[in-house]
Amino acid sequence: MKKLGFGMMRLPETVSDEEKRVDLDAVCRMVDLFLERGFTYFDTAYFYHDRKSEIIVREALVKRHPRERFVLADKLPVSFLESENLKQEDVFEEQCQKCGVTYFDYYLLHNLNTEHYEIAERHDSFGFVSRLKAEGRVGKMGFSFHDTAEVLDRILTAHPEVDFVQLQLNYLDWESESVQSRLCYEICQKHGKPVIVMEPVRGGRLATLPKRAERLLKRARPEASAASWALRFAASRESVFMVLSGMSNMEQLSDNLSTMDPPAPMTPEEIALLEETVRIIYEDIAVACTGCRYCVEGCPKQIAIPDLFTLYNAAMQDREGDHTEQRAAYAELTQRGGKASDCIGCRACVKSCPQRIRIVEALKTVAKTLE
Ligand code: SF4
Ligand code: SF4
């Protein structure tokens, strides 16, 4: 299997009647090109794209290509089993129906951390997926993970039956104290578990670098995009068998396909350049949000948290400026949802943030800068 997976979570969108819709025609063209070039792995989840990603998978992929030509991964929304009182058996059937399939090649417990792992244990979710596997309705069982290496070690020790782990792994988070990419990767190696990488480009953050970092990488590889460096870093790890990328247009897809067909291994000199790049990025970044949107659904004030952080980060790249452009965009955006200053500090968002961002405190700073 070629190592690039198509993440169906940042799909191209059109805006009509003030409503954002996934651009199905564009997705179909992207899916076709992906398959034509010999790539086969697609990744979706229950709540991607406001719970419509699985339907898009059905329309763009399943209805238009023979089932044996592609590999499909879906995820059990573990946290919803209690917050929305869902039964995992019903969720799985609903997912099969939405995707138009009878089985998933890969099936993951979604977003395990300390809290969600406890929910999974209370509902015997590992046992549930193992039974689906025995019935032939799931090929391989895994989980996506956002917590410390110590928690990961505990889960893999308790569940040796797991086939693989999906980790946030990229060069920015490799040595990060909160994400612990390297430490988590080493735990997977210790337990002999193959790794699927998510967020290799850190929610797009590593596709657009500060000018100084961009120049540094361009000197070494003039033709290579910033995103290609990030993909190659993830793909060059020995235990990584798949690198997911949430691609939003044909240009990103084409660039990723060229990079990953096959990915050139990284040299020690290139790794050193990426270490320097990390140093530059950390000097530049204000809020390390990846735009995953896990925090949005539970906010009682409908604050578009990641969109506000994107504007704030853009404003902070020009610290001396008056931020007129970002203030105007902020005013428009917050007409459709809550403002940063509407936050009541309930911390529902904080619990679901894999990056452990101090969202409540960060929103106060956003309000001061952009309101
Ligand atoms: S703490 Fe603020 S931003 Fe977070 S969910 Fe509550 S109201 Fe929304
Ligand atoms: S604040 Fe956290 S949960 Fe919300 S989009 Fe950013 S990284 Fe994801």
mmCIF file with all atom_site columns, all heavy atoms in Angstrom, residues 178 202 286-292 295 305 309 313 347 349-363:
data_model
loop_
_atom_site.group_PDB
_atom_site.id
_atom_site.type_symbol
_atom_site.label_atom_id
_atom_site.label_alt_id
_atom_site.label_comp_id
_atom_site.label_asym_id
_atom_site.label_entity_id
_atom_site.label_seq_id
_atom_site.pdbx_PDB_ins_code
_atom_site.Cartn_x
_atom_site.Cartn_y
_atom_site.Cartn_z
_atom_site.occupancy
_atom_site.B_iso_or_equiv
_atom_site.pdbx_formal_charge
_atom_site.auth_seq_id
_atom_site.auth_comp_id
_atom_site.auth_asym_id
_atom_site.auth_atom_id
_atom_site.pdbx_PDB_model_num
ATOM 1   N N   . SER A 1 178 ? 3.808   18.770 25.306 1.00 0.00 ? 178 SER A N   1
ATOM 2   C CA  . SER A 1 178 ? 2.383   18.449 25.428 1.00 0.00 ? 178 SER A CA  1
ATOM 3   C C   . SER A 1 178 ? 1.984   17.308 24.483 1.00 0.00 ? 178 SER A C   1
ATOM 4   O O   . SER A 1 178 ? 1.319   16.365 24.899 1.00 0.00 ? 178 SER A O   1
ATOM 5   C CB  . SER A 1 178 ? 1.521   19.690 25.178 1.00 0.00 ? 178 SER A CB  1
ATOM 6   O OG  . SER A 1 178 ? 1.813   20.221 23.901 1.00 0.00 ? 178 SER A OG  1
ATOM 7   N N   . ARG A 1 202 ? 0.481   19.485 10.535 1.00 0.00 ? 202 ARG A N   1
ATOM 8   C CA  . ARG A 1 202 ? 0.015   20.246 11.692 1.00 0.00 ? 202 ARG A CA  1
ATOM 9   C C   . ARG A 1 202 ? -1.158  21.172 11.330 1.00 0.00 ? 202 ARG A C   1
ATOM 10  O O   . ARG A 1 202 ? -1.113  22.384 11.550 1.00 0.00 ? 202 ARG A O   1
ATOM 11  C CB  . ARG A 1 202 ? 1.188   21.032 12.207 1.00 0.00 ? 202 ARG A CB  1
ATOM 12  C CG  . ARG A 1 202 ? 1.302   21.506 13.628 1.00 0.00 ? 202 ARG A CG  1
ATOM 13  C CD  . ARG A 1 202 ? 0.441   20.861 14.656 1.00 0.00 ? 202 ARG A CD  1
ATOM 14  N NE  . ARG A 1 202 ? 1.065   20.987 15.946 1.00 0.00 ? 202 ARG A NE  1
ATOM 15  C CZ  . ARG A 1 202 ? 0.932   22.064 16.722 1.00 0.00 ? 202 ARG A CZ  1
ATOM 16  N NH1 . ARG A 1 202 ? 0.191   23.055 16.358 1.00 0.00 ? 202 ARG A NH1 1
ATOM 17  N NH2 . ARG A 1 202 ? 1.553   22.088 17.882 1.00 0.00 ? 202 ARG A NH2 1
ATOM 18  N N   . ALA A 1 286 ? 1.627   32.184 17.909 1.00 0.00 ? 286 ALA A N   1
ATOM 19  C CA  . ALA A 1 286 ? 0.984   32.716 19.114 1.00 0.00 ? 286 ALA A CA  1
ATOM 20  C C   . ALA A 1 286 ? 0.150   31.629 19.803 1.00 0.00 ? 286 ALA A C   1
ATOM 21  O O   . ALA A 1 286 ? 0.360   31.325 20.964 1.00 0.00 ? 286 ALA A O   1
ATOM 22  C CB  . ALA A 1 286 ? 0.116   33.908 18.744 1.00 0.00 ? 286 ALA A CB  1
ATOM 23  N N   . VAL A 1 287 ? -0.792  31.022 19.072 1.00 0.00 ? 287 VAL A N   1
ATOM 24  C CA  . VAL A 1 287 ? -1.609  29.941 19.645 1.00 0.00 ? 287 VAL A CA  1
ATOM 25  C C   . VAL A 1 287 ? -1.443  28.710 18.755 1.00 0.00 ? 287 VAL A C   1
ATOM 26  O O   . VAL A 1 287 ? -1.736  28.767 17.562 1.00 0.00 ? 287 VAL A O   1
ATOM 27  C CB  . VAL A 1 287 ? -3.109  30.330 19.711 1.00 0.00 ? 287 VAL A CB  1
ATOM 28  C CG1 . VAL A 1 287 ? -3.919  29.205 20.339 1.00 0.00 ? 287 VAL A CG1 1
ATOM 29  C CG2 . VAL A 1 287 ? -3.296  31.611 20.493 1.00 0.00 ? 287 VAL A CG2 1
ATOM 30  N N   . ALA A 1 288 ? -0.997  27.604 19.342 1.00 0.00 ? 288 ALA A N   1
ATOM 31  C CA  . ALA A 1 288 ? -0.617  26.427 18.541 1.00 0.00 ? 288 ALA A CA  1
ATOM 32  C C   . ALA A 1 288 ? -1.822  25.548 18.189 1.00 0.00 ? 288 ALA A C   1
ATOM 33  O O   . ALA A 1 288 ? -1.811  24.332 18.367 1.00 0.00 ? 288 ALA A O   1
ATOM 34  C CB  . ALA A 1 288 ? 0.430   25.619 19.298 1.00 0.00 ? 288 ALA A CB  1
ATOM 35  N N   . CYS A 1 289 ? -2.874  26.163 17.647 1.00 0.00 ? 289 CYS A N   1
ATOM 36  C CA  . CYS A 1 289 ? -4.104  25.434 17.270 1.00 0.00 ? 289 CYS A CA  1
ATOM 37  C C   . CYS A 1 289 ? -3.921  24.766 15.915 1.00 0.00 ? 289 CYS A C   1
ATOM 38  O O   . CYS A 1 289 ? -3.408  25.389 14.986 1.00 0.00 ? 289 CYS A O   1
ATOM 39  C CB  . CYS A 1 289 ? -5.248  26.445 17.216 1.00 0.00 ? 289 CYS A CB  1
ATOM 40  S SG  . CYS A 1 289 ? -6.754  25.830 16.475 1.00 0.00 ? 289 CYS A SG  1
ATOM 41  N N   . THR A 1 290 ? -4.348  23.497 15.787 1.00 0.00 ? 290 THR A N   1
ATOM 42  C CA  . THR A 1 290 ? -4.204  22.799 14.501 1.00 0.00 ? 290 THR A CA  1
ATOM 43  C C   . THR A 1 290 ? -5.458  22.920 13.642 1.00 0.00 ? 290 THR A C   1
ATOM 44  O O   . THR A 1 290 ? -5.491  22.409 12.522 1.00 0.00 ? 290 THR A O   1
ATOM 45  C CB  . THR A 1 290 ? -3.956  21.290 14.722 1.00 0.00 ? 290 THR A CB  1
ATOM 46  O OG1 . THR A 1 290 ? -5.114  20.752 15.360 1.00 0.00 ? 290 THR A OG1 1
ATOM 47  C CG2 . THR A 1 290 ? -2.723  21.029 15.543 1.00 0.00 ? 290 THR A CG2 1
ATOM 48  N N   . GLY A 1 291 ? -6.524  23.506 14.190 1.00 0.00 ? 291 GLY A N   1
ATOM 49  C CA  . GLY A 1 291 ? -7.764  23.646 13.407 1.00 0.00 ? 291 GLY A CA  1
ATOM 50  C C   . GLY A 1 291 ? -8.570  22.366 13.318 1.00 0.00 ? 291 GLY A C   1
ATOM 51  O O   . GLY A 1 291 ? -9.403  22.212 12.430 1.00 0.00 ? 291 GLY A O   1
ATOM 52  N N   . CYS A 1 292 ? -8.379  21.430 14.246 1.00 0.00 ? 292 CYS A N   1
ATOM 53  C CA  . CYS A 1 292 ? -9.092  20.145 14.169 1.00 0.00 ? 292 CYS A CA  1
ATOM 54  C C   . CYS A 1 292 ? -10.592 20.285 14.438 1.00 0.00 ? 292 CYS A C   1
ATOM 55  O O   . CYS A 1 292 ? -11.373 19.430 14.072 1.00 0.00 ? 292 CYS A O   1
ATOM 56  C CB  . CYS A 1 292 ? -8.492  19.141 15.146 1.00 0.00 ? 292 CYS A CB  1
ATOM 57  S SG  . CYS A 1 292 ? -8.793  19.563 16.872 1.00 0.00 ? 292 CYS A SG  1
ATOM 58  N N   . CYS A 1 295 ? -13.172 21.137 19.428 1.00 0.00 ? 295 CYS A N   1
ATOM 59  C CA  . CYS A 1 295 ? -13.680 21.954 20.532 1.00 0.00 ? 295 CYS A CA  1
ATOM 60  C C   . CYS A 1 295 ? -14.988 22.663 20.189 1.00 0.00 ? 295 CYS A C   1
ATOM 61  O O   . CYS A 1 295 ? -15.690 23.149 21.060 1.00 0.00 ? 295 CYS A O   1
ATOM 62  C CB  . CYS A 1 295 ? -12.650 23.020 20.879 1.00 0.00 ? 295 CYS A CB  1
ATOM 63  S SG  . CYS A 1 295 ? -12.186 24.018 19.447 1.00 0.00 ? 295 CYS A SG  1
ATOM 64  N N   . ILE A 1 305 ? -13.915 28.811 17.656 1.00 0.00 ? 305 ILE A N   1
ATOM 65  C CA  . ILE A 1 305 ? -12.621 28.942 18.352 1.00 0.00 ? 305 ILE A CA  1
ATOM 66  C C   . ILE A 1 305 ? -11.413 28.889 17.390 1.00 0.00 ? 305 ILE A C   1
ATOM 67  O O   . ILE A 1 305 ? -10.598 29.814 17.378 1.00 0.00 ? 305 ILE A O   1
ATOM 68  C CB  . ILE A 1 305 ? -12.513 27.862 19.459 1.00 0.00 ? 305 ILE A CB  1
ATOM 69  C CG1 . ILE A 1 305 ? -13.642 28.046 20.470 1.00 0.00 ? 305 ILE A CG1 1
ATOM 70  C CG2 . ILE A 1 305 ? -11.149 27.910 20.142 1.00 0.00 ? 305 ILE A CG2 1
ATOM 71  C CD1 . ILE A 1 305 ? -13.887 26.859 21.384 1.00 0.00 ? 305 ILE A CD1 1
ATOM 72  N N   . PHE A 1 309 ? -8.634  31.854 16.418 1.00 0.00 ? 309 PHE A N   1
ATOM 73  C CA  . PHE A 1 309 ? -7.189  31.684 16.645 1.00 0.00 ? 309 PHE A CA  1
ATOM 74  C C   . PHE A 1 309 ? -6.392  31.918 15.357 1.00 0.00 ? 309 PHE A C   1
ATOM 75  O O   . PHE A 1 309 ? -5.298  32.472 15.391 1.00 0.00 ? 309 PHE A O   1
ATOM 76  C CB  . PHE A 1 309 ? -6.885  30.288 17.200 1.00 0.00 ? 309 PHE A CB  1
ATOM 77  C CG  . PHE A 1 309 ? -7.294  30.098 18.642 1.00 0.00 ? 309 PHE A CG  1
ATOM 78  C CD1 . PHE A 1 309 ? -7.486  28.830 19.177 1.00 0.00 ? 309 PHE A CD1 1
ATOM 79  C CD2 . PHE A 1 309 ? -7.473  31.197 19.477 1.00 0.00 ? 309 PHE A CD2 1
ATOM 80  C CE1 . PHE A 1 309 ? -7.860  28.654 20.498 1.00 0.00 ? 309 PHE A CE1 1
ATOM 81  C CE2 . PHE A 1 309 ? -7.857  31.036 20.805 1.00 0.00 ? 309 PHE A CE2 1
ATOM 82  C CZ  . PHE A 1 309 ? -8.046  29.762 21.312 1.00 0.00 ? 309 PHE A CZ  1
ATOM 83  N N   . ASN A 1 313 ? -3.486  34.564 15.148 1.00 0.00 ? 313 ASN A N   1
ATOM 84  C CA  . ASN A 1 313 ? -2.114  34.207 14.752 1.00 0.00 ? 313 ASN A CA  1
ATOM 85  C C   . ASN A 1 313 ? -1.643  35.070 13.587 1.00 0.00 ? 313 ASN A C   1
ATOM 86  O O   . ASN A 1 313 ? -0.491  35.504 13.555 1.00 0.00 ? 313 ASN A O   1
ATOM 87  C CB  . ASN A 1 313 ? -2.037  32.725 14.360 1.00 0.00 ? 313 ASN A CB  1
ATOM 88  C CG  . ASN A 1 313 ? -1.981  31.815 15.572 1.00 0.00 ? 313 ASN A CG  1
ATOM 89  O OD1 . ASN A 1 313 ? -1.641  32.259 16.672 1.00 0.00 ? 313 ASN A OD1 1
ATOM 90  N ND2 . ASN A 1 313 ? -2.322  30.560 15.404 1.00 0.00 ? 313 ASN A ND2 1
ATOM 91  N N   . ARG A 1 347 ? -15.263 25.688 30.101 1.00 0.00 ? 347 ARG A N   1
ATOM 92  C CA  . ARG A 1 347 ? -14.154 24.772 29.811 1.00 0.00 ? 347 ARG A CA  1
ATOM 93  C C   . ARG A 1 347 ? -14.559 23.482 29.087 1.00 0.00 ? 347 ARG A C   1
ATOM 94  O O   . ARG A 1 347 ? -13.794 22.524 29.040 1.00 0.00 ? 347 ARG A O   1
ATOM 95  C CB  . ARG A 1 347 ? -13.350 24.436 31.091 1.00 0.00 ? 347 ARG A CB  1
ATOM 96  C CG  . ARG A 1 347 ? -12.913 25.661 31.856 1.00 0.00 ? 347 ARG A CG  1
ATOM 97  C CD  . ARG A 1 347 ? -11.900 25.358 32.935 1.00 0.00 ? 347 ARG A CD  1
ATOM 98  N NE  . ARG A 1 347 ? -10.556 25.335 32.406 1.00 0.00 ? 347 ARG A NE  1
ATOM 99  C CZ  . ARG A 1 347 ? -9.814  26.395 32.170 1.00 0.00 ? 347 ARG A CZ  1
ATOM 100 N NH1 . ARG A 1 347 ? -10.276 27.595 32.425 1.00 0.00 ? 347 ARG A NH1 1
ATOM 101 N NH2 . ARG A 1 347 ? -8.607  26.277 31.679 1.00 0.00 ? 347 ARG A NH2 1
ATOM 102 N N   . CYS A 1 349 ? -14.715 23.140 26.003 1.00 0.00 ? 349 CYS A N   1
ATOM 103 C CA  . CYS A 1 349 ? -13.783 23.050 24.865 1.00 0.00 ? 349 CYS A CA  1
ATOM 104 C C   . CYS A 1 349 ? -12.423 22.512 25.298 1.00 0.00 ? 349 CYS A C   1
ATOM 105 O O   . CYS A 1 349 ? -11.791 21.756 24.567 1.00 0.00 ? 349 CYS A O   1
ATOM 106 C CB  . CYS A 1 349 ? -13.616 24.431 24.242 1.00 0.00 ? 349 CYS A CB  1
ATOM 107 S SG  . CYS A 1 349 ? -13.111 25.679 25.447 1.00 0.00 ? 349 CYS A SG  1
ATOM 108 N N   . VAL A 1 350 ? -11.987 22.902 26.471 1.00 0.00 ? 350 VAL A N   1
ATOM 109 C CA  . VAL A 1 350 ? -10.633 22.552 26.929 1.00 0.00 ? 350 VAL A CA  1
ATOM 110 C C   . VAL A 1 350 ? -10.490 21.031 27.003 1.00 0.00 ? 350 VAL A C   1
ATOM 111 O O   . VAL A 1 350 ? -9.470  20.469 26.610 1.00 0.00 ? 350 VAL A O   1
ATOM 112 C CB  . VAL A 1 350 ? -10.349 23.198 28.308 1.00 0.00 ? 350 VAL A CB  1
ATOM 113 C CG1 . VAL A 1 350 ? -8.982  22.798 28.826 1.00 0.00 ? 350 VAL A CG1 1
ATOM 114 C CG2 . VAL A 1 350 ? -10.464 24.710 28.204 1.00 0.00 ? 350 VAL A CG2 1
ATOM 115 N N   . LYS A 1 351 ? -11.546 20.371 27.466 1.00 0.00 ? 351 LYS A N   1
ATOM 116 C CA  . LYS A 1 351 ? -11.495 18.915 27.628 1.00 0.00 ? 351 LYS A CA  1
ATOM 117 C C   . LYS A 1 351 ? -11.320 18.209 26.295 1.00 0.00 ? 351 LYS A C   1
ATOM 118 O O   . LYS A 1 351 ? -10.784 17.120 26.231 1.00 0.00 ? 351 LYS A O   1
ATOM 119 C CB  . LYS A 1 351 ? -12.806 18.431 28.267 1.00 0.00 ? 351 LYS A CB  1
ATOM 120 C CG  . LYS A 1 351 ? -12.892 18.740 29.729 1.00 0.00 ? 351 LYS A CG  1
ATOM 121 C CD  . LYS A 1 351 ? -14.122 18.049 30.307 1.00 0.00 ? 351 LYS A CD  1
ATOM 122 C CE  . LYS A 1 351 ? -14.658 18.847 31.475 1.00 0.00 ? 351 LYS A CE  1
ATOM 123 N NZ  . LYS A 1 351 ? -16.088 18.827 31.604 1.00 0.00 ? 351 LYS A NZ  1
ATOM 124 N N   . SER A 1 352 ? -11.810 18.810 25.206 1.00 0.00 ? 352 SER A N   1
ATOM 125 C CA  . SER A 1 352 ? -11.708 18.096 23.931 1.00 0.00 ? 352 SER A CA  1
ATOM 126 C C   . SER A 1 352 ? -10.529 18.556 23.081 1.00 0.00 ? 352 SER A C   1
ATOM 127 O O   . SER A 1 352 ? -10.384 18.099 21.959 1.00 0.00 ? 352 SER A O   1
ATOM 128 C CB  . SER A 1 352 ? -13.016 18.223 23.147 1.00 0.00 ? 352 SER A CB  1
ATOM 129 O OG  . SER A 1 352 ? -13.406 19.563 23.081 1.00 0.00 ? 352 SER A OG  1
ATOM 130 N N   . CYS A 1 353 ? -9.700  19.427 23.599 1.00 0.00 ? 353 CYS A N   1
ATOM 131 C CA  . CYS A 1 353 ? -8.587  19.937 22.777 1.00 0.00 ? 353 CYS A CA  1
ATOM 132 C C   . CYS A 1 353 ? -7.363  19.027 22.871 1.00 0.00 ? 353 CYS A C   1
ATOM 133 O O   . CYS A 1 353 ? -6.714  18.938 23.915 1.00 0.00 ? 353 CYS A O   1
ATOM 134 C CB  . CYS A 1 353 ? -8.193  21.347 23.210 1.00 0.00 ? 353 CYS A CB  1
ATOM 135 S SG  . CYS A 1 353 ? -6.787  21.959 22.255 1.00 0.00 ? 353 CYS A SG  1
ATOM 136 N N   . PRO A 1 354 ? -7.001  18.331 21.765 1.00 0.00 ? 354 PRO A N   1
ATOM 137 C CA  . PRO A 1 354 ? -5.843  17.430 21.810 1.00 0.00 ? 354 PRO A CA  1
ATOM 138 C C   . PRO A 1 354 ? -4.533  18.168 22.022 1.00 0.00 ? 354 PRO A C   1
ATOM 139 O O   . PRO A 1 354 ? -3.552  17.564 22.451 1.00 0.00 ? 354 PRO A O   1
ATOM 140 C CB  . PRO A 1 354 ? -5.852  16.753 20.443 1.00 0.00 ? 354 PRO A CB  1
ATOM 141 C CG  . PRO A 1 354 ? -6.986  17.287 19.672 1.00 0.00 ? 354 PRO A CG  1
ATOM 142 C CD  . PRO A 1 354 ? -7.659  18.352 20.462 1.00 0.00 ? 354 PRO A CD  1
ATOM 143 N N   . GLN A 1 355 ? -4.496  19.461 21.686 1.00 0.00 ? 355 GLN A N   1
ATOM 144 C CA  . GLN A 1 355 ? -3.245  20.228 21.834 1.00 0.00 ? 355 GLN A CA  1
ATOM 145 C C   . GLN A 1 355 ? -3.113  20.836 23.233 1.00 0.00 ? 355 GLN A C   1
ATOM 146 O O   . GLN A 1 355 ? -2.144  21.534 23.515 1.00 0.00 ? 355 GLN A O   1
ATOM 147 C CB  . GLN A 1 355 ? -3.174  21.348 20.789 1.00 0.00 ? 355 GLN A CB  1
ATOM 148 C CG  . GLN A 1 355 ? -3.477  20.905 19.372 1.00 0.00 ? 355 GLN A CG  1
ATOM 149 C CD  . GLN A 1 355 ? -2.617  19.752 18.917 1.00 0.00 ? 355 GLN A CD  1
ATOM 150 O OE1 . GLN A 1 355 ? -1.453  19.654 19.290 1.00 0.00 ? 355 GLN A OE1 1
ATOM 151 N NE2 . GLN A 1 355 ? -3.195  18.847 18.129 1.00 0.00 ? 355 GLN A NE2 1
ATOM 152 N N   . ARG A 1 356 ? -4.082  20.624 24.049 1.00 0.00 ? 356 ARG A N   1
ATOM 153 C CA  . ARG A 1 356 ? -4.107  21.161 25.424 1.00 0.00 ? 356 ARG A CA  1
ATOM 154 C C   . ARG A 1 356 ? -3.862  22.672 25.454 1.00 0.00 ? 356 ARG A C   1
ATOM 155 O O   . ARG A 1 356 ? -3.037  23.166 26.239 1.00 0.00 ? 356 ARG A O   1
ATOM 156 C CB  . ARG A 1 356 ? -3.112  20.422 26.292 1.00 0.00 ? 356 ARG A CB  1
ATOM 157 C CG  . ARG A 1 356 ? -3.487  18.961 26.379 1.00 0.00 ? 356 ARG A CG  1
ATOM 158 C CD  . ARG A 1 356 ? -2.711  18.289 27.440 1.00 0.00 ? 356 ARG A CD  1
ATOM 159 N NE  . ARG A 1 356 ? -2.236  17.026 26.956 1.00 0.00 ? 356 ARG A NE  1
ATOM 160 C CZ  . ARG A 1 356 ? -1.285  16.325 27.503 1.00 0.00 ? 356 ARG A CZ  1
ATOM 161 N NH1 . ARG A 1 356 ? -0.674  16.767 28.559 1.00 0.00 ? 356 ARG A NH1 1
ATOM 162 N NH2 . ARG A 1 356 ? -0.927  15.170 27.016 1.00 0.00 ? 356 ARG A NH2 1
ATOM 163 N N   . ILE A 1 357 ? -4.534  23.343 24.569 1.00 0.00 ? 357 ILE A N   1
ATOM 164 C CA  . ILE A 1 357 ? -4.402  24.808 24.521 1.00 0.00 ? 357 ILE A CA  1
ATOM 165 C C   . ILE A 1 357 ? -5.236  25.408 25.653 1.00 0.00 ? 357 ILE A C   1
ATOM 166 O O   . ILE A 1 357 ? -6.336  24.935 25.953 1.00 0.00 ? 357 ILE A O   1
ATOM 167 C CB  . ILE A 1 357 ? -4.883  25.321 23.144 1.00 0.00 ? 357 ILE A CB  1
ATOM 168 C CG1 . ILE A 1 357 ? -3.903  24.852 22.066 1.00 0.00 ? 357 ILE A CG1 1
ATOM 169 C CG2 . ILE A 1 357 ? -5.031  26.843 23.124 1.00 0.00 ? 357 ILE A CG2 1
ATOM 170 C CD1 . ILE A 1 357 ? -4.390  25.034 20.665 1.00 0.00 ? 357 ILE A CD1 1
ATOM 171 N N   . ARG A 1 358 ? -4.710  26.443 26.266 1.00 0.00 ? 358 ARG A N   1
ATOM 172 C CA  . ARG A 1 358 ? -5.455  27.127 27.339 1.00 0.00 ? 358 ARG A CA  1
ATOM 173 C C   . ARG A 1 358 ? -6.458  28.063 26.656 1.00 0.00 ? 358 ARG A C   1
ATOM 174 O O   . ARG A 1 358 ? -6.249  29.277 26.548 1.00 0.00 ? 358 ARG A O   1
ATOM 175 C CB  . ARG A 1 358 ? -4.480  27.870 28.236 1.00 0.00 ? 358 ARG A CB  1
ATOM 176 C CG  . ARG A 1 358 ? -3.565  26.885 29.019 1.00 0.00 ? 358 ARG A CG  1
ATOM 177 C CD  . ARG A 1 358 ? -2.294  27.564 29.471 1.00 0.00 ? 358 ARG A CD  1
ATOM 178 N NE  . ARG A 1 358 ? -2.557  28.710 30.311 1.00 0.00 ? 358 ARG A NE  1
ATOM 179 C CZ  . ARG A 1 358 ? -2.658  28.699 31.634 1.00 0.00 ? 358 ARG A CZ  1
ATOM 180 N NH1 . ARG A 1 358 ? -2.504  27.570 32.281 1.00 0.00 ? 358 ARG A NH1 1
ATOM 181 N NH2 . ARG A 1 358 ? -2.897  29.794 32.312 1.00 0.00 ? 358 ARG A NH2 1
ATOM 182 N N   . ILE A 1 359 ? -7.551  27.443 26.175 1.00 0.00 ? 359 ILE A N   1
ATOM 183 C CA  . ILE A 1 359 ? -8.467  28.141 25.266 1.00 0.00 ? 359 ILE A CA  1
ATOM 184 C C   . ILE A 1 359 ? -9.103  29.370 25.932 1.00 0.00 ? 359 ILE A C   1
ATOM 185 O O   . ILE A 1 359 ? -9.173  30.452 25.332 1.00 0.00 ? 359 ILE A O   1
ATOM 186 C CB  . ILE A 1 359 ? -9.559  27.174 24.749 1.00 0.00 ? 359 ILE A CB  1
ATOM 187 C CG1 . ILE A 1 359 ? -8.914  26.069 23.909 1.00 0.00 ? 359 ILE A CG1 1
ATOM 188 C CG2 . ILE A 1 359 ? -10.617 27.912 23.935 1.00 0.00 ? 359 ILE A CG2 1
ATOM 189 C CD1 . ILE A 1 359 ? -9.865  24.989 23.422 1.00 0.00 ? 359 ILE A CD1 1
ATOM 190 N N   . VAL A 1 360 ? -9.536  29.212 27.176 1.00 0.00 ? 360 VAL A N   1
ATOM 191 C CA  . VAL A 1 360 ? -10.244 30.319 27.841 1.00 0.00 ? 360 VAL A CA  1
ATOM 192 C C   . VAL A 1 360 ? -9.318  31.534 27.954 1.00 0.00 ? 360 VAL A C   1
ATOM 193 O O   . VAL A 1 360 ? -9.696  32.673 27.620 1.00 0.00 ? 360 VAL A O   1
ATOM 194 C CB  . VAL A 1 360 ? -10.743 29.876 29.238 1.00 0.00 ? 360 VAL A CB  1
ATOM 195 C CG1 . VAL A 1 360 ? -11.471 31.023 29.933 1.00 0.00 ? 360 VAL A CG1 1
ATOM 196 C CG2 . VAL A 1 360 ? -11.663 28.663 29.099 1.00 0.00 ? 360 VAL A CG2 1
ATOM 197 N N   . GLU A 1 361 ? -8.077  31.288 28.380 1.00 0.00 ? 361 GLU A N   1
ATOM 198 C CA  . GLU A 1 361 ? -7.113  32.380 28.538 1.00 0.00 ? 361 GLU A CA  1
ATOM 199 C C   . GLU A 1 361 ? -6.766  32.972 27.169 1.00 0.00 ? 361 GLU A C   1
ATOM 200 O O   . GLU A 1 361 ? -6.687  34.194 27.004 1.00 0.00 ? 361 GLU A O   1
ATOM 201 C CB  . GLU A 1 361 ? -5.831  31.881 29.221 1.00 0.00 ? 361 GLU A CB  1
ATOM 202 C CG  . GLU A 1 361 ? -6.008  31.447 30.670 1.00 0.00 ? 361 GLU A CG  1
ATOM 203 C CD  . GLU A 1 361 ? -6.714  30.103 30.847 1.00 0.00 ? 361 GLU A CD  1
ATOM 204 O OE1 . GLU A 1 361 ? -6.926  29.381 29.845 1.00 0.00 ? 361 GLU A OE1 1
ATOM 205 O OE2 . GLU A 1 361 ? -7.087  29.774 31.995 1.00 0.00 ? 361 GLU A OE2 1
ATOM 206 N N   . ALA A 1 362 ? -6.589  32.071 26.175 1.00 0.00 ? 362 ALA A N   1
ATOM 207 C CA  . ALA A 1 362 ? -6.219  32.554 24.837 1.00 0.00 ? 362 ALA A CA  1
ATOM 208 C C   . ALA A 1 362 ? -7.332  33.420 24.246 1.00 0.00 ? 362 ALA A C   1
ATOM 209 O O   . ALA A 1 362 ? -7.066  34.428 23.592 1.00 0.00 ? 362 ALA A O   1
ATOM 210 C CB  . ALA A 1 362 ? -5.920  31.363 23.917 1.00 0.00 ? 362 ALA A CB  1
ATOM 211 N N   . LEU A 1 363 ? -8.588  33.042 24.506 1.00 0.00 ? 363 LEU A N   1
ATOM 212 C CA  . LEU A 1 363 ? -9.705  33.836 23.963 1.00 0.00 ? 363 LEU A CA  1
ATOM 213 C C   . LEU A 1 363 ? -9.733  35.244 24.568 1.00 0.00 ? 363 LEU A C   1
ATOM 214 O O   . LEU A 1 363 ? -10.119 36.210 23.903 1.00 0.00 ? 363 LEU A O   1
ATOM 215 C CB  . LEU A 1 363 ? -11.044 33.127 24.208 1.00 0.00 ? 363 LEU A CB  1
ATOM 216 C CG  . LEU A 1 363 ? -11.327 31.927 23.285 1.00 0.00 ? 363 LEU A CG  1
ATOM 217 C CD1 . LEU A 1 363 ? -12.633 31.235 23.674 1.00 0.00 ? 363 LEU A CD1 1
ATOM 218 C CD2 . LEU A 1 363 ? -11.390 32.345 21.814 1.00 0.00 ? 363 LEU A CD2 1
#
